[in-house]
Amino acid sequence: MYLGEAGSSSNRMKSVEEKNDEPIRKTLSALIVDDDALIRKVHLTILKSLGFVAQVASNGKEAVDVFRSGANFDIVFIDMDMPIMNGIETTKALRAMGVNCKIVAVTSRGTDVEMEDFVQAGVDFFHVKPLTVAKVIPFVERLQK
Amino acid sequence: MDAVTQLQRQLVDYTNSLFLEGFLDDQFNQLQQLQDESNPDFVVEVVSLFFQDSERLLNELAKVLEQQNIDFKKVDAHVHQLKGSSSSIGAQRVQRVCITFRNCCEEKNIEGCLKYLQQLRHEYSLVKNKLETLFKLEQQLLAAGGTIPLY
């Protein structure tokens, strides 16, 4: 049985078998943790544009509470400087709870000391703000594998 | 040249000038590319948040720097936040002043901090005017029946 591809300039039609061989891309989920509403809005829009289902938390304690409520995410993007619980404290707490998804620190500082502290806390990757589509795409590809 | 084409050219030229003069950097392009039919006011909304953040932080900075015993950690925290939001919308000149301002905080240099606060206010005021003019041009173009060109 052959199915045509609408708008295809090629006369070749993919068979159902070939279509079924294409990897199904799962919907990825993300948590954005930042106390700045502007940053949350920009990061949320970037992630949604890449097909993520994303949620936000405005500080580390909220992020911990979200995980405690039973939510799971493929990836967390977390700021450093936040009230109540900063990014490093939050990362440590999440890892202690057994959260093993990818955690990406996204901060304005980017000092060696901060990077070192974040890595010690259990973060997987580190980006200096601003987050961009180009910075997120490699994570999409990695998470889809 | 009809009115729509003229307005489009004006908008493109004006936008290009903002990049050439260093007011905006590629991050602003990134924001424009994220705007679509499902999110048609995204750039205006984000820039409005930047205006709110900046005005609050500039006022806080002025208050902290008026104190007898200046809390340089607080000054640094406010400048750091402004650096983050300015970099997120591509307000390059504001971001650059923040970087130098933070050096003065580290050195506990009161005169330097006061000087850079003035500079920050100046750069913020300039970019605010520029962006408001940009949005007005976009509105004029849309009102004339034109569409905003893809940059």
Side-chain angles (χ1 to χ4, degrees):
Chain A
M1 181 178 159
Y2 286 83
L3 300 172
E5 282 186 307
S8 170
S9 56
S10 159
N11 287 329
R12 186 176 180 277
M13 290 180 166
K14 279 197 177 180
S15 66
V16 171
E17 292 77 16
E18 280 177 302
K19 277 208 170 262
N20 285 341
D21 285 341
E22 283 175 5
I24 296 165
R25 292 177 73 81
K26 65 170 186 166
T27 302
L28 298 172
S29 60
L31 179 66
I32 297 157
V33 190
D34 201 301
D35 62 326
D36 189 327
L38 184 159
I39 305 294
R40 289 196 302 270
K41 188 175 181 72
V42 172
H43 290 185
L44 193 63
T45 307
I46 287 171
L47 293 179
K48 282 184 172 174
S49 77
L50 291 170
F52 279 88
V53 168
Q55 209 171 312
V56 297
S58 57
N59 60 61
K61 187 182 175 304
E62 265 185 42
V64 169
D65 289 344
V66 163
F67 275 97
R68 275 214 179 104
S69 73
N72 277 310
F73 301 93
D74 293 297
I75 191 164
V76 175
F77 292 93
I78 189 162
D79 184 23
M80 169 58 193
D81 294 303
M82 293 181 290
I84 307 172
M85 274 178 91
N86 68 29
I88 288 171
E89 291 162 344
T90 308
T91 304
K92 278 184 188 163
L94 292 178
R95 292 305 190 208
M97 283 165 61
V99 170
N100 60 9
C101 68
K102 297 294 174 214
I103 300 182
V104 182
V106 187
T107 101
S108 296
R109 290 183 205 270
T111 62
D112 289 342
V113 171
E114 188 178 76
M115 278 169 66
E116 174 83 37
D117 289 345
F118 249 126
V119 166
Q120 293 289 333
V123 96
D124 296 294
F125 303 98
F126 195 102
H127 270 302
V128 176
K129 281 178 186 172
L131 200 62
T132 61
V133 166
K135 286 179 183 175
V136 177
I137 283 174
F139 295 117
V140 174
E141 287 161 10
R142 191 187 288 258
L143 290 170
Q144 287 291 355
K145 283 181 185 164
Chain B
M1 196 190 293
D2 68 14
V4 167
T5 310
Q6 205 168 343
L7 279 167
Q8 267 179 343
R9 184 170 282 185
Q10 210 179 334
L11 179 60
V12 169
D13 288 347
Y14 189 73
T15 309
N16 286 340
S17 74
L18 298 186
F19 287 93
L20 283 170
E21 289 166 29
F23 287 104
L24 299 176
D25 64 26
D26 187 59
Q27 181 64 12
F28 191 78
N29 273 331
Q30 302 276 328
L31 298 186
Q32 289 176 316
Q33 283 164 26
L34 288 170
Q35 183 162 291
D36 60 20
E37 300 83 33
S38 68
N39 210 350
D41 300 317
F42 172 66
V43 178
V44 167
E45 287 170 2
V46 170
V47 171
S48 299
L49 285 170
F50 169 67
F51 291 163
Q52 284 170 33
D53 268 356
S54 301
E55 276 153 37
R56 176 182 58 82
L57 289 166
L58 288 169
N59 286 338
E60 291 296 321
L61 278 166
K63 275 187 205 158
V64 177
L65 287 169
E66 273 168 13
Q67 303 302 309
Q68 276 252 308
N69 293 318
I70 294 172
D71 183 346
F72 284 98
K73 272 193 177 161
K74 230 181 215 174
V75 177
D76 184 69
H78 292 324
V79 177
H80 170 72
Q81 201 175 340
L82 187 50
K83 176 174 169 271
S85 54
S86 59
S87 74
S88 293
I89 73 140
Q92 185 176 244
R93 279 161 62 152
V94 171
Q95 185 196 353
R96 282 182 180 165
V97 176
C98 289
I99 292 169
T100 334
F101 196 152
R102 292 193 71 202
N103 293 338
C104 294
C105 295
E106 270 182 47
E107 293 160 7
K108 298 197 167 123
N109 175 350
I110 299 172
E111 262 182 51
C113 285
L114 289 169
K115 171 185 151 190
Y116 283 110
L117 175 59
Q118 281 301 99
Q119 209 168 327
L120 209 45
R121 277 198 168 119
H122 176 69
E123 288 299 338
Y124 166 69
S125 171
L126 286 176
V127 79
K128 182 169 190 250
N129 284 338
K130 299 284 182 187
L131 286 168
E132 284 174 341
T133 302
L134 178 69
F135 295 143
K136 270 192 191 119
L137 280 172
E138 286 182 347
Q139 287 308 310
Q140 282 171 9
L141 175 58
L142 292 172
T147 51
I148 295 170
L150 291 169
Y151 299 100

